[in-house]
Amino acid sequence: MDERRIDAVVLDWGGVLTVSVPAFIDDWLTSENIDRDRYGRTMRTWMGRDAAPDNPVARLETGELTPAEFEALLAAELVTLDGREIASKGLLRRMFGSAHPDPKMVDLVRELRADGLRTVLLSNSWGEGYPEELLLELFDTIVISGRIGLRKPDPRIFEHTLDQIGLPAHRCVFFDDAPVNVEAARAVGLHAHRHTDADTTRAVIAQLRGVAA
């Protein structure tokens, strides 16, 4: 008897398929000598649970703001430790400069797809800096927020994703590094877990599949 509980694995990009967000953001803050307190306050205002619905991050992730418009807004909020302004042009490219794919996660997704599971990318986009060839290799279905005008944790983006893959929520598992997105996915009915590292995520998937990790 097939005891597998899932048919699809849905994954975030930044912080799940890449190295951790704190790691690549730290690289950027260090390289540009940015005042970390200023950056932290700005991100809490724009991304915290009490953030205004029309905050710049939300507008960027749904495609309402262009990357250049967002870069100008973010650069205006930041300063270096020695008081210099931050160049807005290319800010997102520099910010995500060391957001390299995690080789262990890439290998895991390759294995899952080869084993017959559906693999799905569900990403809130900060521009279009994705490695397209790698995405096409790894994923059967790609859902990127800025392309459809919806963003996590809006339940509609999870419903849209389920429609795209043609599976009920309880046959899918979702991994994200942001707790608010994990909670939203669970509310829609997906198995949902916070990603911390490849080994832990592999073990969760193996348990849901009823196989050894």
PDB file of all heavy atoms in Angstrom, residues 1-2 13 19 26 33 35 37 48 60 70 96 105 117 125 130 144 149 155 159 185 189-190 192 202-203 210:
ATOM      1  N   MET A   1       0.852  -1.200   0.000  1.00  0.00           N
ATOM      2  CA  MET A   1       0.000   0.000   0.000  1.00  0.00           C
ATOM      3  C   MET A   1       0.884   1.245   0.000  1.00  0.00           C
ATOM      4  O   MET A   1       1.872   1.300   0.728  1.00  0.00           O
ATOM      5  CB  MET A   1      -0.913   0.009   1.230  1.00  0.00           C
ATOM      6  CG  MET A   1      -1.877   1.199   1.257  1.00  0.00           C
ATOM      7  SD  MET A   1      -2.998   1.117   2.677  1.00  0.00           S
ATOM      8  CE  MET A   1      -1.876   1.366   4.041  1.00  0.00           C
ATOM      9  N   ASP A   2       0.504   2.226  -0.795  1.00  0.00           N
ATOM     10  CA  ASP A   2       1.253   3.471  -0.860  1.00  0.00           C
ATOM     11  C   ASP A   2       0.859   4.351   0.323  1.00  0.00           C
ATOM     12  O   ASP A   2      -0.285   4.794   0.421  1.00  0.00           O
ATOM     13  CB  ASP A   2       0.949   4.196  -2.184  1.00  0.00           C
ATOM     14  CG  ASP A   2       1.765   5.469  -2.346  1.00  0.00           C
ATOM     15  OD1 ASP A   2       2.604   5.755  -1.470  1.00  0.00           O
ATOM     16  OD2 ASP A   2       1.554   6.183  -3.347  1.00  0.00           O
ATOM     17  N   TRP A  13      12.126  30.540  -2.661  1.00  0.00           N
ATOM     18  CA  TRP A  13      13.455  30.668  -3.252  1.00  0.00           C
ATOM     19  C   TRP A  13      14.453  31.230  -2.233  1.00  0.00           C
ATOM     20  O   TRP A  13      15.238  30.507  -1.661  1.00  0.00           O
ATOM     21  CB  TRP A  13      13.412  31.538  -4.512  1.00  0.00           C
ATOM     22  CG  TRP A  13      14.768  31.724  -5.131  1.00  0.00           C
ATOM     23  CD1 TRP A  13      15.548  32.845  -5.130  1.00  0.00           C
ATOM     24  CD2 TRP A  13      15.533  30.728  -5.814  1.00  0.00           C
ATOM     25  NE1 TRP A  13      16.744  32.624  -5.765  1.00  0.00           N
ATOM     26  CE2 TRP A  13      16.763  31.326  -6.194  1.00  0.00           C
ATOM     27  CE3 TRP A  13      15.315  29.391  -6.135  1.00  0.00           C
ATOM     28  CZ2 TRP A  13      17.765  30.639  -6.883  1.00  0.00           C
ATOM     29  CZ3 TRP A  13      16.300  28.699  -6.831  1.00  0.00           C
ATOM     30  CH2 TRP A  13      17.508  29.323  -7.192  1.00  0.00           C
ATOM     31  N   VAL A  19      21.352  30.214   0.039  1.00  0.00           N
ATOM     32  CA  VAL A  19      21.889  30.371   1.386  1.00  0.00           C
ATOM     33  C   VAL A  19      20.924  31.246   2.183  1.00  0.00           C
ATOM     34  O   VAL A  19      20.053  31.912   1.623  1.00  0.00           O
ATOM     35  CB  VAL A  19      23.293  31.002   1.350  1.00  0.00           C
ATOM     36  CG1 VAL A  19      24.252  30.102   0.593  1.00  0.00           C
ATOM     37  CG2 VAL A  19      23.262  32.389   0.707  1.00  0.00           C
ATOM     38  N   ASP A  26      23.889  40.070   5.373  1.00  0.00           N
ATOM     39  CA  ASP A  26      25.071  40.474   6.148  1.00  0.00           C
ATOM     40  C   ASP A  26      26.248  40.776   5.222  1.00  0.00           C
ATOM     41  O   ASP A  26      26.985  41.746   5.443  1.00  0.00           O
ATOM     42  CB  ASP A  26      25.439  39.381   7.142  1.00  0.00           C
ATOM     43  CG  ASP A  26      26.603  39.779   8.029  1.00  0.00           C
ATOM     44  OD1 ASP A  26      26.404  40.625   8.914  1.00  0.00           O
ATOM     45  OD2 ASP A  26      27.707  39.245   7.829  1.00  0.00           O
ATOM     46  N   ASN A  33      29.225  48.922   4.048  1.00  0.00           N
ATOM     47  CA  ASN A  33      29.384  49.658   5.306  1.00  0.00           C
ATOM     48  C   ASN A  33      28.093  50.358   5.721  1.00  0.00           C
ATOM     49  O   ASN A  33      28.094  51.496   6.203  1.00  0.00           O
ATOM     50  CB  ASN A  33      30.526  50.690   5.178  1.00  0.00           C
ATOM     51  CG  ASN A  33      31.048  51.148   6.528  1.00  0.00           C
ATOM     52  OD1 ASN A  33      31.037  50.383   7.499  1.00  0.00           O
ATOM     53  ND2 ASN A  33      31.492  52.396   6.606  1.00  0.00           N
ATOM     54  N   ASP A  35      24.721  51.274   7.771  1.00  0.00           N
ATOM     55  CA  ASP A  35      24.271  51.360   9.162  1.00  0.00           C
ATOM     56  C   ASP A  35      23.191  50.293   9.382  1.00  0.00           C
ATOM     57  O   ASP A  35      22.084  50.389   8.844  1.00  0.00           O
ATOM     58  CB  ASP A  35      23.704  52.760   9.423  1.00  0.00           C
ATOM     59  CG  ASP A  35      23.311  52.979  10.869  1.00  0.00           C
ATOM     60  OD1 ASP A  35      22.768  52.042  11.492  1.00  0.00           O
ATOM     61  OD2 ASP A  35      23.514  54.104  11.378  1.00  0.00           O
ATOM     62  N   ASP A  37      21.464  49.490  12.040  1.00  0.00           N
ATOM     63  CA  ASP A  37      20.276  49.926  12.775  1.00  0.00           C
ATOM     64  C   ASP A  37      19.266  50.571  11.836  1.00  0.00           C
ATOM     65  O   ASP A  37      18.059  50.328  11.939  1.00  0.00           O
ATOM     66  CB  ASP A  37      20.663  50.896  13.891  1.00  0.00           C
ATOM     67  CG  ASP A  37      21.395  50.217  15.036  1.00  0.00           C
ATOM     68  OD1 ASP A  37      21.257  48.981  15.169  1.00  0.00           O
ATOM     69  OD2 ASP A  37      22.098  50.915  15.794  1.00  0.00           O
ATOM     70  N   GLY A  48       7.430  43.952   8.962  1.00  0.00           N
ATOM     71  CA  GLY A  48       6.931  43.413  10.218  1.00  0.00           C
ATOM     72  C   GLY A  48       5.454  43.072  10.139  1.00  0.00           C
ATOM     73  O   GLY A  48       4.746  43.458   9.205  1.00  0.00           O
ATOM     74  N   LEU A  60       6.452  46.097  -4.167  1.00  0.00           N
ATOM     75  CA  LEU A  60       7.464  45.499  -5.028  1.00  0.00           C
ATOM     76  C   LEU A  60       7.111  44.048  -5.345  1.00  0.00           C
ATOM     77  O   LEU A  60       7.184  43.612  -6.504  1.00  0.00           O
ATOM     78  CB  LEU A  60       8.834  45.558  -4.339  1.00  0.00           C
ATOM     79  CG  LEU A  60       9.974  44.811  -5.041  1.00  0.00           C
ATOM     80  CD1 LEU A  60      10.340  45.478  -6.358  1.00  0.00           C
ATOM     81  CD2 LEU A  60      11.204  44.713  -4.130  1.00  0.00           C
ATOM     82  N   PHE A  70      11.614  50.833  -6.240  1.00  0.00           N
ATOM     83  CA  PHE A  70      11.875  50.324  -4.897  1.00  0.00           C
ATOM     84  C   PHE A  70      13.290  50.673  -4.457  1.00  0.00           C
ATOM     85  O   PHE A  70      13.511  51.064  -3.303  1.00  0.00           O
ATOM     86  CB  PHE A  70      11.667  48.815  -4.847  1.00  0.00           C
ATOM     87  CG  PHE A  70      11.970  48.210  -3.504  1.00  0.00           C
ATOM     88  CD1 PHE A  70      11.026  48.232  -2.490  1.00  0.00           C
ATOM     89  CD2 PHE A  70      13.208  47.627  -3.243  1.00  0.00           C
ATOM     90  CE1 PHE A  70      11.304  47.686  -1.241  1.00  0.00           C
ATOM     91  CE2 PHE A  70      13.498  47.084  -2.008  1.00  0.00           C
ATOM     92  CZ  PHE A  70      12.545  47.110  -1.003  1.00  0.00           C
ATOM     93  N   PHE A  96      21.420  41.182  -3.243  1.00  0.00           N
ATOM     94  CA  PHE A  96      21.291  39.734  -3.414  1.00  0.00           C
ATOM     95  C   PHE A  96      22.548  39.133  -4.044  1.00  0.00           C
ATOM     96  O   PHE A  96      22.524  38.001  -4.509  1.00  0.00           O
ATOM     97  CB  PHE A  96      20.075  39.417  -4.288  1.00  0.00           C
ATOM     98  CG  PHE A  96      18.762  39.601  -3.596  1.00  0.00           C
ATOM     99  CD1 PHE A  96      18.209  40.866  -3.443  1.00  0.00           C
ATOM    100  CD2 PHE A  96      18.076  38.523  -3.074  1.00  0.00           C
ATOM    101  CE1 PHE A  96      16.998  41.054  -2.798  1.00  0.00           C
ATOM    102  CE2 PHE A  96      16.862  38.688  -2.430  1.00  0.00           C
ATOM    103  CZ  PHE A  96      16.323  39.955  -2.279  1.00  0.00           C
ATOM    104  N   MET A 105      20.288  21.841  -1.251  1.00  0.00           N
ATOM    105  CA  MET A 105      18.877  21.968  -1.598  1.00  0.00           C
ATOM    106  C   MET A 105      18.648  21.706  -3.085  1.00  0.00           C
ATOM    107  O   MET A 105      17.645  21.092  -3.473  1.00  0.00           O
ATOM    108  CB  MET A 105      18.369  23.350  -1.208  1.00  0.00           C
ATOM    109  CG  MET A 105      18.100  23.523   0.277  1.00  0.00           C
ATOM    110  SD  MET A 105      16.841  22.363   0.913  1.00  0.00           S
ATOM    111  CE  MET A 105      15.382  22.889  -0.022  1.00  0.00           C
ATOM    112  N   LEU A 117       7.950  13.172  -7.670  1.00  0.00           N
ATOM    113  CA  LEU A 117       7.166  14.205  -6.996  1.00  0.00           C
ATOM    114  C   LEU A 117       7.117  15.463  -7.856  1.00  0.00           C
ATOM    115  O   LEU A 117       8.074  15.777  -8.574  1.00  0.00           O
ATOM    116  CB  LEU A 117       7.755  14.537  -5.625  1.00  0.00           C
ATOM    117  CG  LEU A 117       7.240  13.683  -4.461  1.00  0.00           C
ATOM    118  CD1 LEU A 117       7.901  12.313  -4.501  1.00  0.00           C
ATOM    119  CD2 LEU A 117       7.492  14.358  -3.121  1.00  0.00           C
ATOM    120  N   SER A 125       8.875  37.887  -5.182  1.00  0.00           N
ATOM    121  CA  SER A 125       9.991  38.380  -5.993  1.00  0.00           C
ATOM    122  C   SER A 125      10.418  39.787  -5.611  1.00  0.00           C
ATOM    123  O   SER A 125       9.588  40.662  -5.385  1.00  0.00           O
ATOM    124  CB  SER A 125       9.599  38.360  -7.471  1.00  0.00           C
ATOM    125  OG  SER A 125       8.389  39.076  -7.682  1.00  0.00           O
ATOM    126  N   TYR A 130      16.310  35.797 -10.905  1.00  0.00           N
ATOM    127  CA  TYR A 130      16.334  34.340 -10.746  1.00  0.00           C
ATOM    128  C   TYR A 130      17.217  33.685 -11.814  1.00  0.00           C
ATOM    129  O   TYR A 130      17.251  34.144 -12.953  1.00  0.00           O
ATOM    130  CB  TYR A 130      14.918  33.771 -10.876  1.00  0.00           C
ATOM    131  CG  TYR A 130      13.947  34.254  -9.837  1.00  0.00           C
ATOM    132  CD1 TYR A 130      13.128  35.352 -10.078  1.00  0.00           C
ATOM    133  CD2 TYR A 130      13.831  33.604  -8.609  1.00  0.00           C
ATOM    134  CE1 TYR A 130      12.217  35.800  -9.127  1.00  0.00           C
ATOM    135  CE2 TYR A 130      12.929  34.040  -7.647  1.00  0.00           C
ATOM    136  CZ  TYR A 130      12.117  35.144  -7.911  1.00  0.00           C
ATOM    137  OH  TYR A 130      11.234  35.581  -6.968  1.00  0.00           O
ATOM    138  N   ILE A 144       5.708  33.110  -9.321  1.00  0.00           N
ATOM    139  CA  ILE A 144       6.497  34.242  -8.830  1.00  0.00           C
ATOM    140  C   ILE A 144       5.561  35.432  -8.634  1.00  0.00           C
ATOM    141  O   ILE A 144       4.829  35.819  -9.542  1.00  0.00           O
ATOM    142  CB  ILE A 144       7.641  34.556  -9.802  1.00  0.00           C
ATOM    143  CG1 ILE A 144       8.654  33.400  -9.777  1.00  0.00           C
ATOM    144  CG2 ILE A 144       8.318  35.872  -9.452  1.00  0.00           C
ATOM    145  CD1 ILE A 144       9.795  33.525 -10.752  1.00  0.00           C
ATOM    146  N   GLY A 149       0.780  39.326  -9.449  1.00  0.00           N
ATOM    147  CA  GLY A 149       0.151  40.364  -8.639  1.00  0.00           C
ATOM    148  C   GLY A 149      -0.362  39.907  -7.297  1.00  0.00           C
ATOM    149  O   GLY A 149      -1.200  40.583  -6.682  1.00  0.00           O
ATOM    150  N   PRO A 155      -3.637  34.322   1.173  1.00  0.00           N
ATOM    151  CA  PRO A 155      -4.069  32.951   0.865  1.00  0.00           C
ATOM    152  C   PRO A 155      -4.347  32.722  -0.608  1.00  0.00           C
ATOM    153  O   PRO A 155      -4.249  31.595  -1.094  1.00  0.00           O
ATOM    154  CB  PRO A 155      -5.343  32.772   1.713  1.00  0.00           C
ATOM    155  CG  PRO A 155      -5.770  34.153   2.105  1.00  0.00           C
ATOM    156  CD  PRO A 155      -4.526  34.967   2.171  1.00  0.00           C
ATOM    157  N   GLU A 159      -3.774  29.386  -3.117  1.00  0.00           N
ATOM    158  CA  GLU A 159      -4.877  28.808  -3.889  1.00  0.00           C
ATOM    159  C   GLU A 159      -4.548  28.812  -5.383  1.00  0.00           C
ATOM    160  O   GLU A 159      -4.835  27.844  -6.100  1.00  0.00           O
ATOM    161  CB  GLU A 159      -6.160  29.582  -3.597  1.00  0.00           C
ATOM    162  CG  GLU A 159      -6.644  29.399  -2.159  1.00  0.00           C
ATOM    163  CD  GLU A 159      -7.606  30.482  -1.697  1.00  0.00           C
ATOM    164  OE1 GLU A 159      -7.852  31.433  -2.479  1.00  0.00           O
ATOM    165  OE2 GLU A 159      -8.100  30.382  -0.567  1.00  0.00           O
ATOM    166  N   ALA A 185       0.189  29.167   4.847  1.00  0.00           N
ATOM    167  CA  ALA A 185       0.035  27.937   4.063  1.00  0.00           C
ATOM    168  C   ALA A 185      -0.740  26.882   4.845  1.00  0.00           C
ATOM    169  O   ALA A 185      -1.598  26.179   4.284  1.00  0.00           O
ATOM    170  CB  ALA A 185       1.408  27.405   3.666  1.00  0.00           C
ATOM    171  N   GLY A 189      -4.429  24.736   4.255  1.00  0.00           N
ATOM    172  CA  GLY A 189      -4.531  23.289   4.301  1.00  0.00           C
ATOM    173  C   GLY A 189      -3.308  22.525   3.858  1.00  0.00           C
ATOM    174  O   GLY A 189      -3.322  21.282   3.831  1.00  0.00           O
ATOM    175  N   LEU A 190      -2.230  23.237   3.495  1.00  0.00           N
ATOM    176  CA  LEU A 190      -1.009  22.547   3.114  1.00  0.00           C
ATOM    177  C   LEU A 190      -0.272  22.045   4.355  1.00  0.00           C
ATOM    178  O   LEU A 190      -0.344  22.655   5.424  1.00  0.00           O
ATOM    179  CB  LEU A 190      -0.076  23.475   2.337  1.00  0.00           C
ATOM    180  CG  LEU A 190      -0.453  23.883   0.912  1.00  0.00           C
ATOM    181  CD1 LEU A 190      -1.297  25.159   0.911  1.00  0.00           C
ATOM    182  CD2 LEU A 190       0.807  24.090   0.066  1.00  0.00           C
ATOM    183  N   ALA A 192       2.943  22.409   6.072  1.00  0.00           N
ATOM    184  CA  ALA A 192       3.846  23.557   5.935  1.00  0.00           C
ATOM    185  C   ALA A 192       4.852  23.563   7.076  1.00  0.00           C
ATOM    186  O   ALA A 192       4.499  23.333   8.237  1.00  0.00           O
ATOM    187  CB  ALA A 192       3.056  24.867   5.923  1.00  0.00           C
ATOM    188  N   ARG A 202      14.887  17.736   4.257  1.00  0.00           N
ATOM    189  CA  ARG A 202      14.909  16.393   3.672  1.00  0.00           C
ATOM    190  C   ARG A 202      14.209  15.388   4.601  1.00  0.00           C
ATOM    191  O   ARG A 202      13.434  14.534   4.143  1.00  0.00           O
ATOM    192  CB  ARG A 202      16.353  15.957   3.416  1.00  0.00           C
ATOM    193  CG  ARG A 202      16.486  14.541   2.869  1.00  0.00           C
ATOM    194  CD  ARG A 202      17.948  14.120   2.766  1.00  0.00           C
ATOM    195  NE  ARG A 202      18.626  14.830   1.700  1.00  0.00           N
ATOM    196  CZ  ARG A 202      18.615  14.451   0.424  1.00  0.00           C
ATOM    197  NH1 ARG A 202      17.940  13.353   0.073  1.00  0.00           N
ATOM    198  NH2 ARG A 202      19.280  15.132  -0.481  1.00  0.00           N
ATOM    199  N   ALA A 203      14.473  15.499   5.903  1.00  0.00           N
ATOM    200  CA  ALA A 203      13.880  14.567   6.859  1.00  0.00           C
ATOM    201  C   ALA A 203      12.361  14.726   6.931  1.00  0.00           C
ATOM    202  O   ALA A 203      11.628  13.728   7.015  1.00  0.00           O
ATOM    203  CB  ALA A 203      14.493  14.779   8.242  1.00  0.00           C
ATOM    204  N   GLY A 210       6.908   8.626   3.671  1.00  0.00           N
ATOM    205  CA  GLY A 210       6.951   7.279   4.213  1.00  0.00           C
ATOM    206  C   GLY A 210       8.174   6.492   3.776  1.00  0.00           C
ATOM    207  O   GLY A 210       8.130   5.278   3.597  1.00  0.00           O
TER     208      GLY A 210
END
